[in-house]
Structure formats: C-alpha cells, structure tokens
Amino acid sequence: QVQLIESGGGLVQAGDSLRLSCAASGRTFSTYAMGWFRHAPGKEREFVATISRSGGSTYYADSVKGRFTISRDNAKNTVYLQMNSLKPEDTAVYYCAAARAVVTQSPLYDYWGQGTQVTVSS
C-alpha cells in the first residue's frame, strides 16, 4: 500500500509560481506512475499531469501545458508539480495519485493523497 501526502499549496496572485510536493511512503514508489489531478468547486475532477516510473515520460492537460512541469525523485519518494504563470482558473484542490501505468483517467489510479488547496487571486 502507498500513502501519499501533498504539500506546498497556498494563496498566490495571478502570474506567480508554486511548487507542490507529494511524499510517498513505502519502498514501492518507483514501481508506480504518478499523476496530479485537481478539483475545483462546481467542476469535475480534472487530470493535470502524469509521469512514468522512471520519469522519462510526461503528459499534460492542454490547459496547463507549457506552464506546469511534473517531475519525480525516486530516491526521495517524492513527485513534484512546478506551476508557473498561475491563473485564477487554476484555483482548485490538487491531488497526487499513484497508478500501475501512465494513464490520465482517474479511476485507474490506485492511491490518492488528501489534497492541497491552491488559490490564485486575480
């Protein structure tokens, strides 16, 4: 089993940057692809980015491509989401999740963190 704990959220202004971290427990972190999702009030949960087990492959939602970067450090059991040029529409609770393959569909993720709030003011 994998436990995930996100951190790094906060209140920022439009155009600012934030880096989210997701620390995983256990020795099996490197066997999972990792993803970031977000959930804004009144909207469905949305795929943001995913990264392969080795970190060699990444995929992004069109809405964040060019602004967000997902990365991982398997030695530290941590996945990151660097968010630049933040917009008010990026406001949401951000979740990290672990899956056995590089996928974008949330039902295919096995483990989820508790989420961290990101609020971007205009």
Side-chain angles (χ1 to χ4, degrees), residues 8-12 18 20 36-46 48 64 68 81 83 86-95 114-121:
L11 172 62
V12 297
L18 273 178
L20 305 183
W36 285 96
F37 291 78
R38 64 188 183 186
H39 192 188
K43 297 184 179 180
E44 294 186 353
R45 184 167 51 189
E46 175 188 22
V48 175
V64 307
F68 290 12
L81 185 68
M83 305 185 294
L86 282 162
K87 305 176 182 179
E89 50 263 45
D90 295 318
T91 295
V93 178
Y94 283 71
Y95 299 89
Q114 83 290 349
T116 186
Q117 176 71 47
V118 172
T119 303
V120 184
S121 64

PDB file of all heavy atoms in Angstrom, residues 8-12 18 20 36-46 48 64 68 81 83 86-95 114-121:
ATOM      1  N   GLY A   8       2.576  22.204  -0.127  1.00  0.00           N
ATOM      2  CA  GLY A   8       3.039  23.274  -0.991  1.00  0.00           C
ATOM      3  C   GLY A   8       1.955  24.188  -1.528  1.00  0.00           C
ATOM      4  O   GLY A   8       2.256  25.165  -2.217  1.00  0.00           O
ATOM      5  N   GLY A   9       0.705  23.870  -1.234  1.00  0.00           N
ATOM      6  CA  GLY A   9      -0.364  24.737  -1.703  1.00  0.00           C
ATOM      7  C   GLY A   9      -0.382  26.057  -0.966  1.00  0.00           C
ATOM      8  O   GLY A   9       0.335  26.261   0.016  1.00  0.00           O
ATOM      9  N   GLY A  10      -1.205  26.978  -1.454  1.00  0.00           N
ATOM     10  CA  GLY A  10      -1.306  28.262  -0.795  1.00  0.00           C
ATOM     11  C   GLY A  10      -2.084  29.260  -1.614  1.00  0.00           C
ATOM     12  O   GLY A  10      -2.684  28.912  -2.635  1.00  0.00           O
ATOM     13  N   LEU A  11      -2.047  30.507  -1.159  1.00  0.00           N
ATOM     14  CA  LEU A  11      -2.721  31.618  -1.834  1.00  0.00           C
ATOM     15  C   LEU A  11      -1.667  32.461  -2.533  1.00  0.00           C
ATOM     16  O   LEU A  11      -0.726  32.950  -1.885  1.00  0.00           O
ATOM     17  CB  LEU A  11      -3.488  32.457  -0.821  1.00  0.00           C
ATOM     18  CG  LEU A  11      -4.101  33.767  -1.312  1.00  0.00           C
ATOM     19  CD1 LEU A  11      -5.131  33.501  -2.403  1.00  0.00           C
ATOM     20  CD2 LEU A  11      -4.707  34.547  -0.150  1.00  0.00           C
ATOM     21  N   VAL A  12      -1.818  32.621  -3.846  1.00  0.00           N
ATOM     22  CA  VAL A  12      -0.877  33.411  -4.628  1.00  0.00           C
ATOM     23  C   VAL A  12      -1.643  34.316  -5.570  1.00  0.00           C
ATOM     24  O   VAL A  12      -2.862  34.171  -5.738  1.00  0.00           O
ATOM     25  CB  VAL A  12       0.091  32.513  -5.431  1.00  0.00           C
ATOM     26  CG1 VAL A  12       0.955  31.658  -4.512  1.00  0.00           C
ATOM     27  CG2 VAL A  12      -0.684  31.646  -6.416  1.00  0.00           C
ATOM     28  N   LEU A  18       4.148  28.284  -7.881  1.00  0.00           N
ATOM     29  CA  LEU A  18       4.108  27.416  -6.712  1.00  0.00           C
ATOM     30  C   LEU A  18       4.692  26.074  -7.102  1.00  0.00           C
ATOM     31  O   LEU A  18       4.586  25.663  -8.263  1.00  0.00           O
ATOM     32  CB  LEU A  18       2.676  27.185  -6.224  1.00  0.00           C
ATOM     33  CG  LEU A  18       2.019  28.157  -5.256  1.00  0.00           C
ATOM     34  CD1 LEU A  18       0.585  27.710  -4.979  1.00  0.00           C
ATOM     35  CD2 LEU A  18       2.806  28.279  -3.969  1.00  0.00           C
ATOM     36  N   LEU A  20       4.260  22.190  -5.840  1.00  0.00           N
ATOM     37  CA  LEU A  20       3.625  21.193  -4.996  1.00  0.00           C
ATOM     38  C   LEU A  20       4.538  19.979  -4.871  1.00  0.00           C
ATOM     39  O   LEU A  20       5.222  19.614  -5.822  1.00  0.00           O
ATOM     40  CB  LEU A  20       2.281  20.765  -5.571  1.00  0.00           C
ATOM     41  CG  LEU A  20       1.262  21.883  -5.843  1.00  0.00           C
ATOM     42  CD1 LEU A  20      -0.039  21.268  -6.341  1.00  0.00           C
ATOM     43  CD2 LEU A  20       1.034  22.742  -4.627  1.00  0.00           C
ATOM     44  N   TRP A  36      -1.013  14.011 -11.162  1.00  0.00           N
ATOM     45  CA  TRP A  36      -1.627  15.118 -10.434  1.00  0.00           C
ATOM     46  C   TRP A  36      -2.993  15.393 -11.046  1.00  0.00           C
ATOM     47  O   TRP A  36      -3.136  15.430 -12.269  1.00  0.00           O
ATOM     48  CB  TRP A  36      -0.776  16.383 -10.509  1.00  0.00           C
ATOM     49  CG  TRP A  36       0.443  16.369  -9.653  1.00  0.00           C
ATOM     50  CD1 TRP A  36       1.716  16.042 -10.035  1.00  0.00           C
ATOM     51  CD2 TRP A  36       0.521  16.706  -8.269  1.00  0.00           C
ATOM     52  NE1 TRP A  36       2.583  16.143  -8.976  1.00  0.00           N
ATOM     53  CE2 TRP A  36       1.871  16.561  -7.875  1.00  0.00           C
ATOM     54  CE3 TRP A  36      -0.400  17.126  -7.309  1.00  0.00           C
ATOM     55  CZ2 TRP A  36       2.311  16.814  -6.576  1.00  0.00           C
ATOM     56  CZ3 TRP A  36       0.031  17.380  -6.022  1.00  0.00           C
ATOM     57  CH2 TRP A  36       1.380  17.224  -5.661  1.00  0.00           C
ATOM     58  N   PHE A  37      -3.975  15.594 -10.183  1.00  0.00           N
ATOM     59  CA  PHE A  37      -5.318  15.963 -10.584  1.00  0.00           C
ATOM     60  C   PHE A  37      -5.726  17.187  -9.778  1.00  0.00           C
ATOM     61  O   PHE A  37      -5.094  17.524  -8.778  1.00  0.00           O
ATOM     62  CB  PHE A  37      -6.303  14.820 -10.298  1.00  0.00           C
ATOM     63  CG  PHE A  37      -6.101  13.618 -11.176  1.00  0.00           C
ATOM     64  CD1 PHE A  37      -5.081  12.704 -10.934  1.00  0.00           C
ATOM     65  CD2 PHE A  37      -6.929  13.390 -12.270  1.00  0.00           C
ATOM     66  CE1 PHE A  37      -4.876  11.607 -11.753  1.00  0.00           C
ATOM     67  CE2 PHE A  37      -6.748  12.286 -13.093  1.00  0.00           C
ATOM     68  CZ  PHE A  37      -5.722  11.399 -12.829  1.00  0.00           C
ATOM     69  N   ARG A  38      -6.794  17.826 -10.215  1.00  0.00           N
ATOM     70  CA  ARG A  38      -7.308  18.953  -9.445  1.00  0.00           C
ATOM     71  C   ARG A  38      -8.830  18.947  -9.486  1.00  0.00           C
ATOM     72  O   ARG A  38      -9.439  18.443 -10.437  1.00  0.00           O
ATOM     73  CB  ARG A  38      -6.764  20.274  -9.957  1.00  0.00           C
ATOM     74  CG  ARG A  38      -7.163  20.649 -11.372  1.00  0.00           C
ATOM     75  CD  ARG A  38      -6.393  21.893 -11.811  1.00  0.00           C
ATOM     76  NE  ARG A  38      -6.780  22.338 -13.146  1.00  0.00           N
ATOM     77  CZ  ARG A  38      -6.180  23.327 -13.802  1.00  0.00           C
ATOM     78  NH1 ARG A  38      -5.156  23.983 -13.241  1.00  0.00           N
ATOM     79  NH2 ARG A  38      -6.581  23.665 -15.011  1.00  0.00           N
ATOM     80  N   HIS A  39      -9.415  19.523  -8.446  1.00  0.00           N
ATOM     81  CA  HIS A  39     -10.862  19.560  -8.323  1.00  0.00           C
ATOM     82  C   HIS A  39     -11.267  20.946  -7.854  1.00  0.00           C
ATOM     83  O   HIS A  39     -10.938  21.349  -6.741  1.00  0.00           O
ATOM     84  CB  HIS A  39     -11.331  18.501  -7.325  1.00  0.00           C
ATOM     85  CG  HIS A  39     -12.800  18.280  -7.348  1.00  0.00           C
ATOM     86  ND1 HIS A  39     -13.438  17.482  -6.424  1.00  0.00           N
ATOM     87  CD2 HIS A  39     -13.761  18.746  -8.180  1.00  0.00           C
ATOM     88  CE1 HIS A  39     -14.735  17.472  -6.693  1.00  0.00           C
ATOM     89  NE2 HIS A  39     -14.947  18.232  -7.753  1.00  0.00           N
ATOM     90  N   ALA A  40     -11.939  21.659  -8.737  1.00  0.00           N
ATOM     91  CA  ALA A  40     -12.425  22.994  -8.415  1.00  0.00           C
ATOM     92  C   ALA A  40     -13.899  22.916  -8.044  1.00  0.00           C
ATOM     93  O   ALA A  40     -14.624  22.039  -8.546  1.00  0.00           O
ATOM     94  CB  ALA A  40     -12.229  23.921  -9.606  1.00  0.00           C
ATOM     95  N   PRO A  41     -14.381  23.813  -7.206  1.00  0.00           N
ATOM     96  CA  PRO A  41     -15.793  23.809  -6.807  1.00  0.00           C
ATOM     97  C   PRO A  41     -16.710  23.890  -8.022  1.00  0.00           C
ATOM     98  O   PRO A  41     -16.495  24.705  -8.928  1.00  0.00           O
ATOM     99  CB  PRO A  41     -15.918  25.063  -5.945  1.00  0.00           C
ATOM    100  CG  PRO A  41     -14.557  25.299  -5.423  1.00  0.00           C
ATOM    101  CD  PRO A  41     -13.627  24.874  -6.518  1.00  0.00           C
ATOM    102  N   GLY A  42     -17.707  23.027  -8.057  1.00  0.00           N
ATOM    103  CA  GLY A  42     -18.668  23.047  -9.151  1.00  0.00           C
ATOM    104  C   GLY A  42     -18.202  22.392 -10.422  1.00  0.00           C
ATOM    105  O   GLY A  42     -18.920  22.396 -11.424  1.00  0.00           O
ATOM    106  N   LYS A  43     -16.988  21.830 -10.389  1.00  0.00           N
ATOM    107  CA  LYS A  43     -16.444  21.176 -11.583  1.00  0.00           C
ATOM    108  C   LYS A  43     -16.070  19.735 -11.263  1.00  0.00           C
ATOM    109  O   LYS A  43     -15.909  19.362 -10.107  1.00  0.00           O
ATOM    110  CB  LYS A  43     -15.217  21.934 -12.091  1.00  0.00           C
ATOM    111  CG  LYS A  43     -15.498  23.353 -12.551  1.00  0.00           C
ATOM    112  CD  LYS A  43     -14.243  23.985 -13.125  1.00  0.00           C
ATOM    113  CE  LYS A  43     -14.502  25.387 -13.610  1.00  0.00           C
ATOM    114  NZ  LYS A  43     -13.274  26.026 -14.173  1.00  0.00           N
ATOM    115  N   GLU A  44     -15.901  18.943 -12.303  1.00  0.00           N
ATOM    116  CA  GLU A  44     -15.443  17.581 -12.115  1.00  0.00           C
ATOM    117  C   GLU A  44     -13.936  17.575 -11.879  1.00  0.00           C
ATOM    118  O   GLU A  44     -13.211  18.491 -12.276  1.00  0.00           O
ATOM    119  CB  GLU A  44     -15.785  16.737 -13.343  1.00  0.00           C
ATOM    120  CG  GLU A  44     -17.278  16.554 -13.559  1.00  0.00           C
ATOM    121  CD  GLU A  44     -17.584  15.596 -14.696  1.00  0.00           C
ATOM    122  OE1 GLU A  44     -16.641  15.185 -15.389  1.00  0.00           O
ATOM    123  OE2 GLU A  44     -18.760  15.270 -14.880  1.00  0.00           O
ATOM    124  N   ARG A  45     -13.489  16.488 -11.243  1.00  0.00           N
ATOM    125  CA  ARG A  45     -12.050  16.331 -11.060  1.00  0.00           C
ATOM    126  C   ARG A  45     -11.369  16.258 -12.416  1.00  0.00           C
ATOM    127  O   ARG A  45     -11.848  15.592 -13.326  1.00  0.00           O
ATOM    128  CB  ARG A  45     -11.761  15.083 -10.243  1.00  0.00           C
ATOM    129  CG  ARG A  45     -10.305  14.872  -9.918  1.00  0.00           C
ATOM    130  CD  ARG A  45     -10.130  13.816  -8.850  1.00  0.00           C
ATOM    131  NE  ARG A  45     -10.838  12.593  -9.151  1.00  0.00           N
ATOM    132  CZ  ARG A  45     -10.975  11.593  -8.279  1.00  0.00           C
ATOM    133  NH1 ARG A  45     -10.477  11.696  -7.068  1.00  0.00           N
ATOM    134  NH2 ARG A  45     -11.628  10.504  -8.627  1.00  0.00           N
ATOM    135  N   GLU A  46     -10.235  16.925 -12.534  1.00  0.00           N
ATOM    136  CA  GLU A  46      -9.583  17.118 -13.821  1.00  0.00           C
ATOM    137  C   GLU A  46      -8.152  16.606 -13.780  1.00  0.00           C
ATOM    138  O   GLU A  46      -7.404  16.889 -12.833  1.00  0.00           O
ATOM    139  CB  GLU A  46      -9.585  18.615 -14.165  1.00  0.00           C
ATOM    140  CG  GLU A  46      -8.844  19.008 -15.419  1.00  0.00           C
ATOM    141  CD  GLU A  46      -8.734  20.510 -15.586  1.00  0.00           C
ATOM    142  OE1 GLU A  46      -8.843  21.235 -14.586  1.00  0.00           O
ATOM    143  OE2 GLU A  46      -8.521  20.966 -16.727  1.00  0.00           O
ATOM    144  N   VAL A  48      -4.324  16.648 -14.577  1.00  0.00           N
ATOM    145  CA  VAL A  48      -3.376  17.743 -14.776  1.00  0.00           C
ATOM    146  C   VAL A  48      -2.106  17.250 -15.469  1.00  0.00           C
ATOM    147  O   VAL A  48      -1.711  17.779 -16.503  1.00  0.00           O
ATOM    148  CB  VAL A  48      -3.017  18.409 -13.441  1.00  0.00           C
ATOM    149  CG1 VAL A  48      -1.933  19.468 -13.633  1.00  0.00           C
ATOM    150  CG2 VAL A  48      -4.253  19.026 -12.787  1.00  0.00           C
ATOM    151  N   VAL A  64      -2.688  23.200 -18.984  1.00  0.00           N
ATOM    152  CA  VAL A  64      -1.500  23.525 -18.186  1.00  0.00           C
ATOM    153  C   VAL A  64      -0.205  23.363 -18.971  1.00  0.00           C
ATOM    154  O   VAL A  64       0.869  23.721 -18.466  1.00  0.00           O
ATOM    155  CB  VAL A  64      -1.441  22.673 -16.898  1.00  0.00           C
ATOM    156  CG1 VAL A  64      -2.742  22.798 -16.114  1.00  0.00           C
ATOM    157  CG2 VAL A  64      -1.117  21.219 -17.204  1.00  0.00           C
ATOM    158  N   PHE A  68       3.040  24.178 -16.437  1.00  0.00           N
ATOM    159  CA  PHE A  68       3.280  23.253 -15.329  1.00  0.00           C
ATOM    160  C   PHE A  68       4.314  22.211 -15.751  1.00  0.00           C
ATOM    161  O   PHE A  68       4.363  21.813 -16.917  1.00  0.00           O
ATOM    162  CB  PHE A  68       1.997  22.534 -14.936  1.00  0.00           C
ATOM    163  CG  PHE A  68       0.954  23.390 -14.268  1.00  0.00           C
ATOM    164  CD1 PHE A  68       1.045  24.779 -14.240  1.00  0.00           C
ATOM    165  CD2 PHE A  68      -0.144  22.799 -13.667  1.00  0.00           C
ATOM    166  CE1 PHE A  68       0.068  25.549 -13.627  1.00  0.00           C
ATOM    167  CE2 PHE A  68      -1.126  23.554 -13.046  1.00  0.00           C
ATOM    168  CZ  PHE A  68      -1.020  24.929 -13.039  1.00  0.00           C
ATOM    169  N   LEU A  81       5.082  19.089  -8.653  1.00  0.00           N
ATOM    170  CA  LEU A  81       4.380  19.792  -9.715  1.00  0.00           C
ATOM    171  C   LEU A  81       4.772  21.256  -9.614  1.00  0.00           C
ATOM    172  O   LEU A  81       4.357  21.963  -8.690  1.00  0.00           O
ATOM    173  CB  LEU A  81       2.861  19.644  -9.590  1.00  0.00           C
ATOM    174  CG  LEU A  81       2.073  20.256 -10.748  1.00  0.00           C
ATOM    175  CD1 LEU A  81       2.320  19.454 -12.039  1.00  0.00           C
ATOM    176  CD2 LEU A  81       0.575  20.290 -10.443  1.00  0.00           C
ATOM    177  N   MET A  83       4.379  24.825 -10.841  1.00  0.00           N
ATOM    178  CA  MET A  83       3.318  25.570 -11.504  1.00  0.00           C
ATOM    179  C   MET A  83       3.754  27.020 -11.688  1.00  0.00           C
ATOM    180  O   MET A  83       3.977  27.728 -10.699  1.00  0.00           O
ATOM    181  CB  MET A  83       2.030  25.502 -10.675  1.00  0.00           C
ATOM    182  CG  MET A  83       1.590  24.079 -10.356  1.00  0.00           C
ATOM    183  SD  MET A  83      -0.003  24.003  -9.513  1.00  0.00           S
ATOM    184  CE  MET A  83       0.408  24.796  -7.973  1.00  0.00           C
ATOM    185  N   LEU A  86       0.623  31.183 -12.943  1.00  0.00           N
ATOM    186  CA  LEU A  86      -0.670  30.724 -12.439  1.00  0.00           C
ATOM    187  C   LEU A  86      -1.785  31.687 -12.800  1.00  0.00           C
ATOM    188  O   LEU A  86      -1.595  32.914 -12.858  1.00  0.00           O
ATOM    189  CB  LEU A  86      -0.597  30.521 -10.932  1.00  0.00           C
ATOM    190  CG  LEU A  86       0.103  29.226 -10.509  1.00  0.00           C
ATOM    191  CD1 LEU A  86       0.537  29.292  -9.057  1.00  0.00           C
ATOM    192  CD2 LEU A  86      -0.803  28.035 -10.747  1.00  0.00           C
ATOM    193  N   LYS A  87      -2.957  31.121 -13.042  1.00  0.00           N
ATOM    194  CA  LYS A  87      -4.149  31.875 -13.411  1.00  0.00           C
ATOM    195  C   LYS A  87      -5.250  31.608 -12.385  1.00  0.00           C
ATOM    196  O   LYS A  87      -5.256  30.546 -11.727  1.00  0.00           O
ATOM    197  CB  LYS A  87      -4.642  31.425 -14.789  1.00  0.00           C
ATOM    198  CG  LYS A  87      -3.609  31.516 -15.894  1.00  0.00           C
ATOM    199  CD  LYS A  87      -4.156  30.948 -17.190  1.00  0.00           C
ATOM    200  CE  LYS A  87      -3.121  30.996 -18.301  1.00  0.00           C
ATOM    201  NZ  LYS A  87      -3.654  30.424 -19.567  1.00  0.00           N
ATOM    202  N   PRO A  88      -6.196  32.508 -12.255  1.00  0.00           N
ATOM    203  CA  PRO A  88      -7.307  32.267 -11.318  1.00  0.00           C
ATOM    204  C   PRO A  88      -8.024  30.953 -11.599  1.00  0.00           C
ATOM    205  O   PRO A  88      -8.487  30.286 -10.660  1.00  0.00           O
ATOM    206  CB  PRO A  88      -8.215  33.474 -11.550  1.00  0.00           C
ATOM    207  CG  PRO A  88      -7.281  34.561 -11.961  1.00  0.00           C
ATOM    208  CD  PRO A  88      -6.242  33.873 -12.806  1.00  0.00           C
ATOM    209  N   GLU A  89      -8.092  30.547 -12.857  1.00  0.00           N
ATOM    210  CA  GLU A  89      -8.779  29.290 -13.185  1.00  0.00           C
ATOM    211  C   GLU A  89      -7.990  28.052 -12.769  1.00  0.00           C
ATOM    212  O   GLU A  89      -8.496  26.936 -12.890  1.00  0.00           O
ATOM    213  CB  GLU A  89      -9.099  29.218 -14.690  1.00  0.00           C
ATOM    214  CG  GLU A  89      -7.918  29.516 -15.593  1.00  0.00           C
ATOM    215  CD  GLU A  89      -7.907  30.964 -16.076  1.00  0.00           C
ATOM    216  OE1 GLU A  89      -8.127  31.876 -15.233  1.00  0.00           O
ATOM    217  OE2 GLU A  89      -7.640  31.183 -17.282  1.00  0.00           O
ATOM    218  N   ASP A  90      -6.781  28.238 -12.260  1.00  0.00           N
ATOM    219  CA  ASP A  90      -6.020  27.119 -11.701  1.00  0.00           C
ATOM    220  C   ASP A  90      -6.410  26.840 -10.254  1.00  0.00           C
ATOM    221  O   ASP A  90      -5.945  25.860  -9.663  1.00  0.00           O
ATOM    222  CB  ASP A  90      -4.516  27.406 -11.762  1.00  0.00           C
ATOM    223  CG  ASP A  90      -3.989  27.496 -13.182  1.00  0.00           C
ATOM    224  OD1 ASP A  90      -4.406  26.664 -14.021  1.00  0.00           O
ATOM    225  OD2 ASP A  90      -3.160  28.386 -13.449  1.00  0.00           O
ATOM    226  N   THR A  91      -7.241  27.692  -9.681  1.00  0.00           N
ATOM    227  CA  THR A  91      -7.686  27.508  -8.310  1.00  0.00           C
ATOM    228  C   THR A  91      -8.430  26.188  -8.157  1.00  0.00           C
ATOM    229  O   THR A  91      -9.388  25.918  -8.887  1.00  0.00           O
ATOM    230  CB  THR A  91      -8.596  28.668  -7.877  1.00  0.00           C
ATOM    231  OG1 THR A  91      -7.828  29.877  -7.867  1.00  0.00           O
ATOM    232  CG2 THR A  91      -9.183  28.423  -6.492  1.00  0.00           C
ATOM    233  N   ALA A  92      -7.968  25.355  -7.218  1.00  0.00           N
ATOM    234  CA  ALA A  92      -8.552  24.028  -7.009  1.00  0.00           C
ATOM    235  C   ALA A  92      -7.829  23.348  -5.862  1.00  0.00           C
ATOM    236  O   ALA A  92      -6.786  23.827  -5.394  1.00  0.00           O
ATOM    237  CB  ALA A  92      -8.428  23.180  -8.275  1.00  0.00           C
ATOM    238  N   VAL A  93      -8.370  22.229  -5.442  1.00  0.00           N
ATOM    239  CA  VAL A  93      -7.632  21.309  -4.580  1.00  0.00           C
ATOM    240  C   VAL A  93      -6.852  20.379  -5.495  1.00  0.00           C
ATOM    241  O   VAL A  93      -7.429  19.785  -6.412  1.00  0.00           O
ATOM    242  CB  VAL A  93      -8.563  20.511  -3.660  1.00  0.00           C
ATOM    243  CG1 VAL A  93      -7.760  19.523  -2.818  1.00  0.00           C
ATOM    244  CG2 VAL A  93      -9.367  21.444  -2.759  1.00  0.00           C
ATOM    245  N   TYR A  94      -5.572  20.274  -5.247  1.00  0.00           N
ATOM    246  CA  TYR A  94      -4.704  19.450  -6.079  1.00  0.00           C
ATOM    247  C   TYR A  94      -4.375  18.149  -5.351  1.00  0.00           C
ATOM    248  O   TYR A  94      -3.998  18.161  -4.171  1.00  0.00           O
ATOM    249  CB  TYR A  94      -3.416  20.206  -6.419  1.00  0.00           C
ATOM    250  CG  TYR A  94      -3.614  21.243  -7.488  1.00  0.00           C
ATOM    251  CD1 TYR A  94      -4.327  22.410  -7.236  1.00  0.00           C
ATOM    252  CD2 TYR A  94      -3.114  21.044  -8.770  1.00  0.00           C
ATOM    253  CE1 TYR A  94      -4.537  23.356  -8.231  1.00  0.00           C
ATOM    254  CE2 TYR A  94      -3.310  21.984  -9.772  1.00  0.00           C
ATOM    255  CZ  TYR A  94      -4.018  23.139  -9.494  1.00  0.00           C
ATOM    256  OH  TYR A  94      -4.224  24.074 -10.487  1.00  0.00           O
ATOM    257  N   TYR A  95      -4.510  17.050  -6.083  1.00  0.00           N
ATOM    258  CA  TYR A  95      -4.275  15.724  -5.534  1.00  0.00           C
ATOM    259  C   TYR A  95      -3.177  15.016  -6.315  1.00  0.00           C
ATOM    260  O   TYR A  95      -3.142  15.102  -7.544  1.00  0.00           O
ATOM    261  CB  TYR A  95      -5.538  14.874  -5.629  1.00  0.00           C
ATOM    262  CG  TYR A  95      -6.726  15.401  -4.873  1.00  0.00           C
ATOM    263  CD1 TYR A  95      -7.614  16.286  -5.468  1.00  0.00           C
ATOM    264  CD2 TYR A  95      -6.967  14.998  -3.558  1.00  0.00           C
ATOM    265  CE1 TYR A  95      -8.717  16.779  -4.771  1.00  0.00           C
ATOM    266  CE2 TYR A  95      -8.072  15.475  -2.859  1.00  0.00           C
ATOM    267  CZ  TYR A  95      -8.936  16.360  -3.480  1.00  0.00           C
ATOM    268  OH  TYR A  95     -10.024  16.839  -2.791  1.00  0.00           O
ATOM    269  N   GLN A 114      -4.496  13.379   0.204  1.00  0.00           N
ATOM    270  CA  GLN A 114      -5.638  14.078   0.795  1.00  0.00           C
ATOM    271  C   GLN A 114      -5.900  15.426   0.135  1.00  0.00           C
ATOM    272  O   GLN A 114      -6.936  16.039   0.359  1.00  0.00           O
ATOM    273  CB  GLN A 114      -5.409  14.297   2.301  1.00  0.00           C
ATOM    274  CG  GLN A 114      -4.559  15.515   2.672  1.00  0.00           C
ATOM    275  CD  GLN A 114      -3.095  15.382   2.304  1.00  0.00           C
ATOM    276  OE1 GLN A 114      -2.618  14.309   1.938  1.00  0.00           O
ATOM    277  NE2 GLN A 114      -2.370  16.487   2.386  1.00  0.00           N
ATOM    278  N   GLY A 115      -4.961  15.885  -0.674  1.00  0.00           N
ATOM    279  CA  GLY A 115      -5.146  17.126  -1.414  1.00  0.00           C
ATOM    280  C   GLY A 115      -4.532  18.331  -0.735  1.00  0.00           C
ATOM    281  O   GLY A 115      -4.369  18.369   0.487  1.00  0.00           O
ATOM    282  N   THR A 116      -4.185  19.329  -1.535  1.00  0.00           N
ATOM    283  CA  THR A 116      -3.678  20.597  -1.029  1.00  0.00           C
ATOM    284  C   THR A 116      -4.326  21.718  -1.834  1.00  0.00           C
ATOM    285  O   THR A 116      -4.438  21.636  -3.052  1.00  0.00           O
ATOM    286  CB  THR A 116      -2.138  20.653  -1.116  1.00  0.00           C
ATOM    287  OG1 THR A 116      -1.661  21.847  -0.499  1.00  0.00           O
ATOM    288  CG2 THR A 116      -1.633  20.593  -2.543  1.00  0.00           C
ATOM    289  N   GLN A 117      -4.769  22.757  -1.134  1.00  0.00           N
ATOM    290  CA  GLN A 117      -5.519  23.839  -1.773  1.00  0.00           C
ATOM    291  C   GLN A 117      -4.571  24.828  -2.440  1.00  0.00           C
ATOM    292  O   GLN A 117      -3.604  25.292  -1.823  1.00  0.00           O
ATOM    293  CB  GLN A 117      -6.367  24.572  -0.737  1.00  0.00           C
ATOM    294  CG  GLN A 117      -7.123  25.775  -1.274  1.00  0.00           C
ATOM    295  CD  GLN A 117      -8.270  25.391  -2.187  1.00  0.00           C
ATOM    296  OE1 GLN A 117      -9.059  24.505  -1.869  1.00  0.00           O
ATOM    297  NE2 GLN A 117      -8.361  26.074  -3.329  1.00  0.00           N
ATOM    298  N   VAL A 118      -4.885  25.150  -3.668  1.00  0.00           N
ATOM    299  CA  VAL A 118      -4.189  26.215  -4.398  1.00  0.00           C
ATOM    300  C   VAL A 118      -5.223  27.261  -4.773  1.00  0.00           C
ATOM    301  O   VAL A 118      -6.230  26.943  -5.402  1.00  0.00           O
ATOM    302  CB  VAL A 118      -3.493  25.674  -5.664  1.00  0.00           C
ATOM    303  CG1 VAL A 118      -2.941  26.823  -6.498  1.00  0.00           C
ATOM    304  CG2 VAL A 118      -2.384  24.707  -5.285  1.00  0.00           C
ATOM    305  N   THR A 119      -4.991  28.493  -4.360  1.00  0.00           N
ATOM    306  CA  THR A 119      -5.892  29.589  -4.666  1.00  0.00           C
ATOM    307  C   THR A 119      -5.106  30.693  -5.362  1.00  0.00           C
ATOM    308  O   THR A 119      -4.088  31.150  -4.839  1.00  0.00           O
ATOM    309  CB  THR A 119      -6.555  30.139  -3.400  1.00  0.00           C
ATOM    310  OG1 THR A 119      -7.247  29.086  -2.725  1.00  0.00           O
ATOM    311  CG2 THR A 119      -7.546  31.239  -3.749  1.00  0.00           C
ATOM    312  N   VAL A 120      -5.579  31.077  -6.544  1.00  0.00           N
ATOM    313  CA  VAL A 120      -4.905  32.104  -7.326  1.00  0.00           C
ATOM    314  C   VAL A 120      -5.835  33.300  -7.436  1.00  0.00           C
ATOM    315  O   VAL A 120      -6.921  33.202  -8.002  1.00  0.00           O
ATOM    316  CB  VAL A 120      -4.532  31.589  -8.724  1.00  0.00           C
ATOM    317  CG1 VAL A 120      -3.732  32.653  -9.478  1.00  0.00           C
ATOM    318  CG2 VAL A 120      -3.743  30.290  -8.629  1.00  0.00           C
ATOM    319  N   SER A 121      -5.416  34.416  -6.904  1.00  0.00           N
ATOM    320  CA  SER A 121      -6.232  35.624  -6.949  1.00  0.00           C
ATOM    321  C   SER A 121      -5.879  36.457  -8.171  1.00  0.00           C
ATOM    322  O   SER A 121      -4.734  36.447  -8.641  1.00  0.00           O
ATOM    323  CB  SER A 121      -6.042  36.447  -5.682  1.00  0.00           C
ATOM    324  OG  SER A 121      -4.704  36.898  -5.587  1.00  0.00           O
TER     325      SER A 121
END
